[in-house]
Amino acid sequence: MLDEKTRKDIISLMHREVVPAIGCTEPVAVALCVAKATELLGTVPERLELRLSGNILKNAMGVGIPGTGMIGLPIAVALGALVGRSSYGLEVLREVTPDAVEKGRAYISEGRISIKLCEDAPSNLHIEVVASDNAGNTSEAVISGTHTNFVYLRVGNSVIKSDNPVTDGDENQERDRELDMRTVYDFAMTAPLEEIRFILESRSLNKAAAELALDGGYGHSLGYAVRSHGRKYFGDSPLAHIISYTSAACDARMGGAPVAVMSNSGSGNQGICATMPVVSFAEDVHAGEEDTIRALVLSHLTSIYIKQSLGRLSALCGCVVASTGASSGITYLMGGGYEEICSAVKNMIANLTGMICDGAKPSCSLKISSGVSTALMSAMLAMDGKCVTAAEGIISDDVDRSIHNLTSIGREAMKETDRLVMEIMTTK
């Protein structure tokens, strides 16, 4: 059993990384930064000038903004200025109303927003906002490294906060403990239940989002398609349930449903992907509450661990990370122990490495479905004693080395991929 300090460090880490969010976290983080700059200015800005890192632009271009029926950054920026509250964090747009949306449309049409690429951004997640009023007063807010991390705040000539900019690879400095797979497993299996019961909130929030979208009407309605006429092809099976539940929650989130989901490592889709396959499978096998809690903790913490070396935003699709977490949770629910879970993780890495992120958008539900179906397949193989070996591709005998092989590819080798994806998206 882990010592008390280690347990407390990990619980603190999970409370930071598994949090509710309304809407896609990239445009929401931009709205949060705008809300803070507006609050510093003390009035709705006459003009907003934004400079954003490429990955923020990529992930905000094609996604629905909750409660608006609109897509992309301008409405998120306008609403951040008009009704956003920075104290709400990633739920900054909680108070959006139809009237606010109409005012936001007018704000955009008046040409009061300027959005540019920040070519010298120190990290992939970087947001700069300068707000000004008619009298020439200005304020500035900068988020960098993580979605809620303000590193610079200014009102006029008075600097309120000025931290060193966060560079790629340093965004995890605030974490108390670097993880490994053995620690993740031991924590999930031995932590007192009352200390980790909070993870059930991820089930409540993400399942509610899924059920909202299962009637169709959000995104590409993939969850609805699999749940309804898709039964002809998938049957009424655990795989069909996993795909429909998980993709439906993504449909709702990417389609702009005004609901909160539980995020993981700054991503709502990752939170959905780490949660819903485990929840669905637990229901199908009639798992008890304790096993469900421990499986969810294992899934979410595995995802956090992988993100520690991958970074917040990269060219590697986040469903690769979160589906790997989900596979570990499913393997546990199948009766697997540490060795089987490590095998499932390696099977996942052997299959999904290289899936690109081309921004947050409704079709993310398709990628998530690929990830979670692989999660079930990898768990089944692991329980049959089958594991991709070190003689094959990027897999090493050691599970932690295999994970770092994955994250090295996503963080370093795919930089040019990221640049080209951004170029394609902005010039088509």
Side-chain angles (χ1 to χ4, degrees):
M1 189 170 182
L2 300 177
D3 61 83
E4 184 177 0
K5 182 181 185 306
T6 299
R7 287 204 329 272
K8 287 184 175 179
D9 286 349
I10 294 173
I11 289 169
S12 176
L13 171 61
M14 291 192 71
H15 278 301
R16 290 199 303 271
E17 299 292 10
V18 183
V19 297
I22 297 177
C24 176
T25 46
E26 277 69 62
V28 166
V30 173
L32 175 62
C33 201
V34 170
K36 175 63 79 172
T38 299
E39 290 162 2
L40 293 173
L41 187 64
T43 186
V44 174
E46 177 65 23
R47 180 141 182 93
L48 286 163
E49 297 178 6
L50 289 81
R51 295 205 314 149
L52 310 174
S53 60
N55 280 74
I56 291 289
L57 284 171
K58 179 180 74 173
N59 280 355
M61 289 173 63
V63 68
I65 306 303
T68 69
M70 299 175 67
I71 288 174
L73 276 169
I75 189 62
V77 171
L79 291 174
L82 293 169
V83 297
R85 292 195 181 186
S86 65
S87 60
Y88 291 164
L90 293 180
E91 296 180 274
V92 61
L93 298 181
R94 185 192 300 174
E95 297 183 354
V96 169
T97 63
D99 181 61
V101 173
E102 288 309 307
K103 290 179 179 177
R105 290 178 187 271
Y107 195 95
I108 295 167
S109 68
E110 292 164 3
R112 296 161 72 173
I113 300 170
S114 169
I115 301 173
K116 295 181 180 179
L117 173 67
C118 181
E119 296 184 357
D120 57 349
S123 74
N124 285 337
L125 199 167
H126 189 79
I127 304 162
E128 299 177 3
V129 177
V130 175
S132 57
D133 63 16
N134 281 326
N137 300 305
T138 65
S139 64
E140 184 174 0
V142 178
I143 286 177
S144 192
T146 64
H147 293 78
T148 60
N149 183 40
F150 286 98
V151 297
Y152 185 82
L153 299 172
R154 173 185 62 80
V155 181
N157 294 323
S158 177
V159 175
I160 301 170
K161 183 176 186 178
S162 182
D163 295 340
N164 291 328
V166 178
T167 58
D168 287 329
D170 292 336
E171 63 266 35
N172 298 322
Q173 284 182 343
E174 68 175 280
R175 293 188 170 117
D176 298 320
R177 175 174 294 276
E178 293 296 316
L179 298 169
D180 56 64
M181 201 62 214
R182 183 80 232 190
T183 301
V184 167
Y185 176 80
D186 288 347
F187 174 84
M189 297 302 105
T190 64
L193 212 58
E194 63 272 13
E195 294 183 3
I196 57 176
R197 190 178 297 276
F198 67 87
I199 202 66
L200 288 177
E201 188 182 357
S202 68
R203 177 179 68 179
S204 300
L205 289 180
N206 294 346
K207 188 175 179 180
E211 289 175 341
L212 176 67
L214 282 174
D215 291 331
Y218 288 101
H220 294 299
S221 298
L222 178 59
Y224 165 78
V226 175
R227 173 64 66 91
S228 55
H229 55 273
R231 287 189 178 184
K232 175 181 177 181
Y233 308 103
F234 285 94
D236 187 15
S237 66
L239 175 60
H241 302 161
I242 285 172
I243 293 175
S244 61
Y245 258 138
T246 310
S247 60
C250 180
D251 288 332
R253 180 171 177 267
M254 295 290 94
V259 294
V261 301
M262 190 66 78
S263 66
N264 181 296
S265 303
S267 167
N269 278 351
Q270 285 171 195
I272 288 167
C273 205
T275 302
M276 291 313 300
V278 176
V279 168
S280 178
F281 191 78
E283 291 179 354
D284 277 340
V285 300
H286 307 291
E289 183 175 78
E290 178 172 352
D291 282 343
T292 300
I293 290 171
R294 295 197 184 281
L296 282 169
V297 168
L298 181 60
S299 178
H300 276 277
L301 196 56
T302 298
S303 302
I304 292 169
Y305 164 39
I306 298 172
K307 289 293 286 187
Q308 282 187 332
S309 56
L310 178 62
R312 291 281 162 170
L313 300 176
S314 74
L316 184 71
C317 179
C319 84
V320 176
V321 175
S323 296
T324 301
S327 190
S328 67
I330 291 171
T331 304
Y332 165 73
L333 290 172
M334 288 179 171
Y338 180 68
E339 292 303 321
E340 289 79 14
I341 287 166
C342 290
S343 293
V345 168
K346 289 192 276 186
N347 291 342
M348 291 293 291
I349 294 169
N351 191 333
L352 291 180
T353 296
M355 183 182 288
I356 66 166
C357 171
D358 55 344
K361 59 212 175 300
S363 60
C364 285
S365 61
L366 293 165
K367 293 188 178 186
I368 279 180
S369 296
S370 297
V372 300
S373 58
T374 302
L376 181 60
M377 181 171 59
S378 295
M380 290 169 54
L381 281 177
M383 292 304 293
D384 281 346
K386 303 296 184 181
C387 179
V388 177
T389 69
E392 304 172 71
I394 66 168
I395 301 303
S396 299
D397 288 326
D398 179 70
V399 66
D400 296 297
R401 173 48 54 196
S402 296
I403 287 171
H404 286 285
N405 292 343
L406 164 72
T407 58
S408 293
I409 290 171
R411 187 184 63 251
E412 300 297 333
M414 294 178 75
K415 282 184 177 180
E416 178 60 18
T417 300
D418 211 20
R419 185 202 64 76
L420 183 56
V421 166
M422 187 66 192
E423 179 181 320
I424 292 170
M425 291 177 64
T426 55
T427 58
K428 64 182 179 180

